[in-house]
Amino acid sequence: MSDTQFDQNAWLARIGYSGPVTPTLETLNRLIFAHSHSIAYETLDIMLGLPPKLDVPSLQHKMIAGKRGGYCFEQNMLFRAGLWSLGYRITSLQGRVVRGLAIDAPRPAIHMLLKVELPEGIYLADVGFGNLAPTCALLLAPQIEQETPHEVMRFIDVGGELTLQALLNRGWQHIYRVIPYPRYDGEYEITNWYTATHPDAPYQGNIIVAKPGPNRSRITMYNARVTVRDAEGHAEKRWLATEIEFRDVLRGEFGLNMSDQQIDECVAVMKAKGTGDAPHPFFA
């Protein structure tokens, strides 16, 4: 990636960040917090028949200039471009999502992650998991309980793969297993195409949006259900009924720059293809 492809100033302005830009752990934590609170996790373009593009100009056009969100590949590739522009040393990784499943479930690698090398150690950065993405960098070491701006998190070793867990009201909930080997961007392209186009993936028929909220809360939208969960895991839920409510939530609470027509089309697709209020383990 050439320096001319990525507009660092536009990215920092988009996430409302005006702090130090030296490539330190403190800066990384501030950038993760700012990015995740400003750019929502969302998969709505897939509902509109538009599989995500992962090149840097497309990511900037959509998520920075267009003021939209994105899912894991989009979020972490944009964030990686930003970190590279600041001088961070990064290795691209993948993870096996086990949220709501057995911790050793034989899962494919469908999630993108970033490993950041710092003087303090090796850290994980991830702004693209949605309702449980860590809101600060996490030391990639097992059996250390780590405070974040939201949940307490830790890694445990499962067959050589560090498994991220979050402490919620039902105890430790596992999220994904980190594959410790570097990945090429071509592997993300293949996985992105699969997750965006396969008929059994949840994204084509379901409205899925998530964003960290104030006071350590998280807000998640799965079809008509909007859930606000506190850091201990207690959840308040409400259900949307009209297109106007969908527009207000997507544009207001999640900050998505979408037209009435786009939102109404997503609602129509949801009604035709979605799983309704059936829980999905990744977006519980």
Side-chain angles (χ1 to χ4, degrees), residues 88-114:
Y88 283 95
R89 296 179 60 188
I90 301 166
T91 301
S92 302
L93 302 178
Q94 281 182 296
R96 308 185 196 277
V97 179
V98 290
R99 176 80 169 120
L101 306 173
I103 197 169
D104 59 350
R107 296 289 300 157
I110 60 171
H111 183 53
M112 180 181 180
L113 305 163
L114 302 174

Side-chain angles (χ1 to χ4, degrees), residues 5 35 45 58 60 73 75 98 116 120 133 179 238 249 255 268 282:
Q5 281 187 293
H35 183 110
D45 270 1
S58 294
Q60 292 187 118
F73 302 109
Q75 292 273 13
V98 290
V116 185
E120 295 88 345
I179 301 172
R238 70 184 193 273
V249 169
F282 296 178

Side-chain angles (χ1 to χ4, degrees), residues 78-90:
L78 181 69
F79 193 68
R80 185 184 67 177
L83 294 186
W84 268 340
S85 76
L86 297 175
Y88 283 95
R89 296 179 60 188
I90 301 166

Side-chain angles (χ1 to χ4, degrees), residues 21-283:
V21 293
T22 51
T24 64
L25 176 59
E26 180 182 3
T27 299
L28 178 61
N29 286 330
R30 292 184 179 186
L31 289 169
I32 292 172
F33 187 89
H35 183 110
S36 60
H37 280 75
S38 302
I39 304 180
Y41 177 99
E42 54 115 335
T43 60
L44 302 183
D45 270 1
I46 298 174
M47 300 185 78
L48 300 173
L50 301 170
K53 295 181 179 180
L54 302 184
D55 60 281
V56 171
S58 294
L59 295 173
Q60 292 187 118
H61 177 74
K62 176 184 178 181
M63 301 171 70
I64 296 179
K67 295 184 179 179
R68 288 283 306 278
Y71 74 162
C72 75
F73 302 109
E74 298 170 286
Q75 292 273 13
N76 281 324
M77 281 200 165
L78 181 69
F79 193 68
R80 185 184 67 177
L83 294 186
W84 268 340
S85 76
L86 297 175
Y88 283 95
R89 296 179 60 188
I90 301 166
T91 301
S92 302
L93 302 178
Q94 281 182 296
R96 308 185 196 277
V97 179
V98 290
R99 176 80 169 120
L101 306 173
I103 197 169
D104 59 350
R107 296 289 300 157
I110 60 171
H111 183 53
M112 180 181 180
L113 305 163
L114 302 174
K115 182 176 76 173
V116 185
E117 298 179 45
L118 294 164
E120 295 88 345
I122 306 300
Y123 283 79
L124 178 91
D126 177 14
V127 295
F129 191 75
N131 72 336
L132 274 175
T135 48
C136 69
L138 296 174
L139 183 66
L140 271 169
Q143 302 299 337
I144 300 173
E145 295 188 9
Q146 303 186 50
E147 293 284 345
T148 81
H150 286 76
E151 305 82 7
V152 175
M153 292 185 166
R154 72 179 182 185
F155 293 101
I156 62 171
D157 191 294
V158 178
E161 297 177 345
L162 291 180
T163 302
L164 179 63
Q165 293 186 313
L167 184 59
L168 302 177
N169 64 334
R170 291 175 293 165
W172 288 103
Q173 304 292 308
H174 36 272
I175 303 171
Y176 51 69
R177 302 200 307 266
V178 180
I179 301 172
Y181 307 113
R183 289 300 193 248
Y184 298 111
D185 283 2
E187 294 172 285
Y188 298 133
E189 291 284 356
I190 293 170
T191 310
N192 175 59
W193 180 254
Y194 172 86
T195 56
T197 62
H198 195 283
D200 292 337
Y203 309 113
Q204 290 193 42
N206 298 289
I207 294 175
I208 300 170
V209 195
K211 193 176 184 182
N215 302 317
R216 305 182 71 196
S217 67
R218 293 184 186 265
I219 178 171
T220 305
M221 182 175 180
Y222 189 79
N223 292 329
R225 184 183 71 233
V226 178
T227 304
V228 178
R229 178 175 54 76
D230 65 23
E232 285 71 44
H234 304 104
E236 295 184 2
K237 301 181 180 182
R238 70 184 193 273
W239 283 262
L240 309 181
T242 68
E243 279 78 0
I244 293 177
E245 290 178 311
F246 279 91
R247 296 172 192 169
D248 289 344
V249 169
L250 290 172
R251 289 198 288 239
E253 295 184 50
F254 291 105
L256 300 183
N257 179 30
M258 299 181 69
S259 67
D260 288 354
Q261 181 180 352
Q262 288 173 316
I263 294 174
D264 292 352
E265 185 175 342
C266 288
V267 173
V269 171
M270 174 200 75
K271 291 178 178 178
K273 299 181 179 180
T275 60
D277 199 38
H280 190 285
F282 296 178
F283 311 103

